[in-house]
Amino acid sequence: MAMEGDKSNNEIEEKVTTPTALTPAPKSVTEDKQWGLNGRLAFAIAAAALGSSFQHGYNTGVVNAPQQLIEDWISNLKMNRTGVPTKQSEVTMIWSIAVSIFCVGGMIGGSLVGWIADRFGRKGGLLLNNVLVLATVIFEGFAKTANSYEMIIIGRFIIGINAGLNAGLAPMYLAEISPIHLRGAVGTVYQLVITMSILVSQILGLEQILGTSEQWPLLLCLTIVPAIFQVITLPLCPESPKYLLLGRGKDMEAQRALSWLRGTIEVHDEMEEMRTEYESVKLVPKVTLKELFVNPTLRIPLTIAIMVMFAQQLSGINAVMFFSTKIFTMAQLDKNAAQNATMGVGAMNVLMTFISLILVEKAGRKTLLLIGFGGMFIDTVLLAICLAFADTSSTAAYFSIVLVIMFVVLFATGPGSIPWFLVSELFNQSARPAATSVAIAVNWTANFIVSIGFLPLQEAMGAYVFIVFAMIQAFFVFFIYKKVPETKNKTMEEISSMFRQISYQ
């Protein structure tokens, strides 16, 4: 499909000398000014991504290292309240609620994305969202002083709402400020910052740094730092030009915003393309949640968006990351070495996500998704077999370490980053906020299912729990091969017309 798109573009370039709203300008005219990533665009990307996806990743990983310390504090606190020794099962239940309620908040935040994005804009929504970070820091930071584990649960819930909103608003803003040929690479930045922030949380959570009984409240409070960064930097950047024109009808403001982002006043071609989309959007009523499911031209991309979000979370990545330290311990690594190896896996995740940022505009979205999920299927089957023999065979145990690292490499190649921005590529401006709300809510729901269901399943099935993930991966490989289109270098009009054609078949 991508080859056909490239071929048609070449034919257009041979025949047409004057660019219009629907035909790209010849390469000689546009390539030089398009391909450079200018300083202003890079600044806007950093302001949007660092302040938002950092919250998502940091608060996912920050609870792992100090788990035992906080559980001991909860146990002592409960005993002081009741005067009765606290059962471990009670502490485990409280801790499980504190961890998993983050995902519940994410579901709620994700479902609010569409309303917030339309009401306050992409940039406005991101800035407003930092109020929730401040509330989180107050609850989590003073929980120990106030002798209230309930405050940690409330704080985790609030930051979950923040992360759910960020997961929709940030990729939407990044997709809308990017030139077509950089859309995938810029969209991957969201996942890149998530992986970086998880690694940062692991490092800061070490016993030598902030992973102590006195310092763990400060560890939770450091989530305020990226919020402060965003509140300082994002106001210096413009609102999404697409939102200004298509959402608010402000042509001159959109042109000024686009000129600022591109570092040039020569934005005629891109403005014309947006105006064409604006005229077509005006002809149809605003897309409602019901219409997403009823209208076949919207239902097809929505199904794809939902399935790709399910694929990302049900792939087993959370299970593998959770299981990694235990796998390294099986391979006769001591506790510190196992923790260091887990951080090594986190660093590999960052490195491979950075590489996928480069690959996504060369190989394409569909290709990287197929390579990622296909490779993970083979890897997961082998991991299940090796883990079954890891207790008795040192060879199997060491091979398990290699497979864990390989799993993370394959996940970061495409499945980790592409779903976040693919949703913004599949829908036009009128449908994008509502569709993003549904997709992000689905992602967090799947995340919640895995976080709640993995441990009981693992206790019942042992290492063979990974066979369940392998079967899920095999299904999604088939689905992606059959249904997911290639969106690389395609305009919104080309993608929309593709779904119109499919719906009439």
Side-chain angles (χ1 to χ4, degrees):
M1 197 175 290
M3 286 176 66
E4 289 172 10
D6 292 340
K7 183 181 175 185
S8 60
N9 282 346
N10 290 337
E11 287 171 0
I12 290 168
E13 284 162 7
E14 286 170 15
K15 295 175 187 176
V16 184
T17 55
T18 306
T20 68
L22 296 176
T23 57
K27 283 188 179 180
S28 58
V29 176
T30 62
E31 200 171 61
D32 289 339
K33 54 178 193 182
Q34 277 193 330
W35 275 101
L37 180 65
N38 69 75
R40 287 178 174 181
L41 180 59
F43 181 81
I45 292 165
L50 284 174
S52 56
S53 52
F54 203 97
Q55 306 292 2
H56 187 159
Y58 187 82
N59 288 288
T60 298
V62 74
V63 289
N64 292 335
Q67 177 178 346
Q68 193 58 52
L69 295 169
I70 300 175
E71 283 189 355
D72 291 343
W73 171 72
I74 292 170
S75 179
N76 292 331
L77 179 60
K78 210 164 187 309
M79 188 173 72
N80 291 337
R81 285 182 184 179
T82 60
V84 181
T86 311
K87 293 178 184 176
Q88 182 56 41
S89 59
E90 292 176 25
V91 177
T92 304
M93 176 59 72
I94 292 167
W95 179 250
S96 298
I97 291 168
V99 172
S100 59
I101 205 163
F102 178 68
C103 295
V104 177
M107 291 181 224
I108 294 169
S111 63
L112 293 172
V113 167
W115 180 74
I116 295 287
D118 279 340
R119 178 74 179 79
F120 301 101
R122 284 61 163 146
K123 172 187 162 182
L126 285 170
L127 286 170
L128 192 65
N129 203 16
N130 288 301
V131 173
L132 297 178
V133 182
L134 181 62
T136 298
V137 169
I138 291 168
F139 277 103
E140 292 185 352
F142 291 99
K144 191 176 182 185
T145 309
N147 291 322
S148 170
Y149 60 78
E150 293 87 353
M151 286 175 70
I152 288 183
I153 294 172
I154 294 167
R156 293 280 298 167
F157 176 68
I158 294 170
I159 201 67
I161 297 172
N162 169 276
L165 282 165
N166 280 330
L169 292 169
M172 203 187 298
Y173 181 76
L174 293 173
E176 290 179 6
I177 66 172
S178 310
I180 289 174
H181 63 281
L182 290 177
R183 205 168 50 201
V186 172
T188 304
V189 171
Y190 185 82
Q191 178 67 14
L192 176 63
V193 177
I194 287 179
T195 58
M196 288 167 61
S197 55
I198 290 173
L199 182 60
V200 167
S201 72
Q202 289 175 333
I203 294 168
L204 292 176
L206 289 173
E207 200 174 329
Q208 305 92 301
I209 306 177
L210 294 175
T212 64
S213 55
E214 293 80 29
Q215 301 283 9
W216 64 257
L218 176 59
L219 181 67
L220 299 181
C221 284
L222 285 178
T223 194
I224 194 73
V225 175
I228 292 169
F229 170 80
Q230 188 172 74
V231 168
I232 293 170
T233 57
L234 196 57
L236 303 175
C237 307
E239 178 58 90
S240 154
K242 279 203 166 186
Y243 170 75
L244 289 172
L245 179 60
L246 283 73
R248 288 286 177 263
K250 297 177 178 178
D251 192 291
M252 287 306 296
E253 281 190 37
Q255 190 161 336
R256 276 197 295 270
L258 192 61
S259 296
W260 189 94
L261 290 163
R262 299 292 177 262
T264 175
I265 58 169
E266 296 177 34
V267 291
H268 175 76
D269 296 346
E270 222 173 327
M271 280 303 298
E272 281 304 310
E273 190 181 299
M274 282 201 293
R275 287 180 187 122
T276 304
E277 189 180 342
Y278 179 47
E279 292 305 318
S280 64
V281 165
K282 282 200 297 187
L283 297 175
V284 292
K286 186 154 186 61
V287 174
T288 60
L289 204 59
K290 180 185 175 184
E291 196 175 348
L292 279 176
F293 293 93
V294 173
N295 187 332
T297 60
L298 296 172
R299 189 172 62 236
I300 295 167
L302 183 69
T303 303
I304 291 167
I306 288 172
M307 292 297 277
V308 171
M309 286 297 190
F310 267 128
Q312 186 197 60
Q313 289 298 334
L314 300 181
S315 65
I317 184 63
N318 291 335
V320 168
M321 294 298 275
F322 173 84
F323 216 57
S324 59
T325 305
K326 188 174 180 181
I327 292 168
F328 297 143
T329 308
M330 279 180 185
Q332 284 79 52
L333 297 178
D334 62 36
K335 184 185 173 186
N336 285 338
Q339 282 183 342
N340 291 336
T342 301
M343 276 194 286
V345 169
M348 180 62 75
N349 198 4
V350 174
L351 176 64
M352 286 309 301
T353 306
F354 182 76
I355 291 170
S356 80
L357 185 147
I358 300 162
L359 290 176
V360 74
E361 294 300 353
K362 296 184 182 295
R365 287 67 157 148
K366 184 171 184 172
T367 305
L368 289 184
L369 285 173
L370 287 172
I371 290 170
F373 282 112
M376 285 158 70
F377 166 70
I378 298 166
D379 187 282
T380 308
V381 172
L382 293 173
L383 183 60
I385 295 167
C386 287
L387 286 176
F389 296 100
D391 290 331
T392 54
S393 166
S394 59
T395 305
Y398 283 113
F399 198 47
S400 298
I401 295 176
V402 175
L403 288 169
V404 166
I405 294 168
M406 198 64 212
F407 188 98
V408 172
V409 167
L410 289 162
F411 178 79
T413 303
S417 55
I418 292 171
W420 295 116
F421 66 84
L422 188 66
V423 184
S424 292
E425 291 191 329
L426 293 176
F427 294 91
N428 64 23
Q429 191 75 11
S430 60
R432 192 174 294 140
T436 302
S437 283
V438 174
I440 299 301
V442 163
N443 186 287
W444 282 94
T445 304
N447 191 345
F448 180 73
I449 291 167
V450 172
S451 64
I452 287 291
F454 173 69
L455 275 178
L457 208 58
Q458 188 259 321
E459 285 173 13
M461 298 180 67
Y464 295 107
V465 68
F466 287 102
I467 295 296
V468 175
F469 289 117
M471 290 165 63
I472 292 169
Q473 289 157 8
F475 167 74
F476 284 120
V477 168
F478 178 76
F479 177 85
I480 290 163
Y481 178 73
K482 284 287 189 185
K483 298 292 183 182
V484 176
E486 182 55 74
T487 56
K488 183 183 79 166
N489 289 341
K490 284 189 168 62
T491 65
M492 198 60 254
E493 184 56 39
E494 288 171 330
I495 294 167
S496 297
S497 65
M498 184 167 51
F499 288 124
R500 282 196 297 270
Q501 288 168 9
I502 294 169
S503 69
Y504 290 134
Q505 287 173 2

